[in-house]
Amino acid sequence: AEYMGKLIEKYPYVAMDTEFPGIVEKTINTTNNREYEYQLIKKNVDQLKIIQLGISFSDENGNAPPGIKTWQFNFEFDTKMDSYLEESINMLSECGLNFERHKKEGISPLSVSYTHLTLPTIYSVQI
């Protein structure tokens, strides 16, 4: 976490990728309203647990830092206890995610959020 905090000074561009277990809240939107779409996505994210988070750093020219430049966090997820869309879990499994390992070895999202709330990455006006 400290290393990421130091990277932000020279590599202030941050790319993030997340994996969630699908969309469980579905309604038909006939209004083509962006606020409605945002609220629907937010509702799903609020109801579901994150499965994986990837973070990469670069400078304004797209150059990545030497050494470690990308982190991937695999979170606790139990297909017997947590909500998900079957199609999404199947697709993620086909892509190599091992949900038995997520259940046994996954890290707590709360521990990652607490650790990163103390980093300058979160509060930087450059990002």
Side-chain angles (χ1 to χ4, degrees), residues 25 33-46:
E25 190 72 37
N33 180 323
R34 286 194 184 274
E35 179 61 24
Y36 174 85
E37 292 171 7
Y38 169 81
Q39 291 301 328
L40 183 60
I41 292 170
K42 182 181 183 323
K43 195 172 193 179
N44 276 282
V45 169
D46 289 347

Side-chain angles (χ1 to χ4, degrees), residues 48-109:
L48 299 169
K49 288 175 67 177
I50 188 170
I51 295 173
Q52 193 175 72
L53 169 68
I55 302 173
S56 295
F57 293 86
S58 71
D59 65 16
E60 64 277 358
N61 297 314
N63 300 309
I68 299 171
K69 53 190 115 309
T70 299
W71 286 260
Q72 184 170 295
F73 300 94
N74 293 295
F75 295 103
E76 299 168 332
F77 193 85
D78 185 348
T79 55
K80 295 195 181 3
M81 302 293 292
D82 298 317
S83 297
Y84 63 90
L85 182 66
E86 187 78 32
E87 296 169 35
S88 294
I89 295 301
N90 291 342
M91 185 269 305
L92 292 169
S93 294
E94 288 171 12
C95 290
L97 270 69
N98 180 330
F99 285 99
E100 194 57 36
R101 287 190 71 187
H102 277 266
K103 177 181 171 183
K104 293 178 181 174
E105 301 173 33
I107 57 178
S108 164

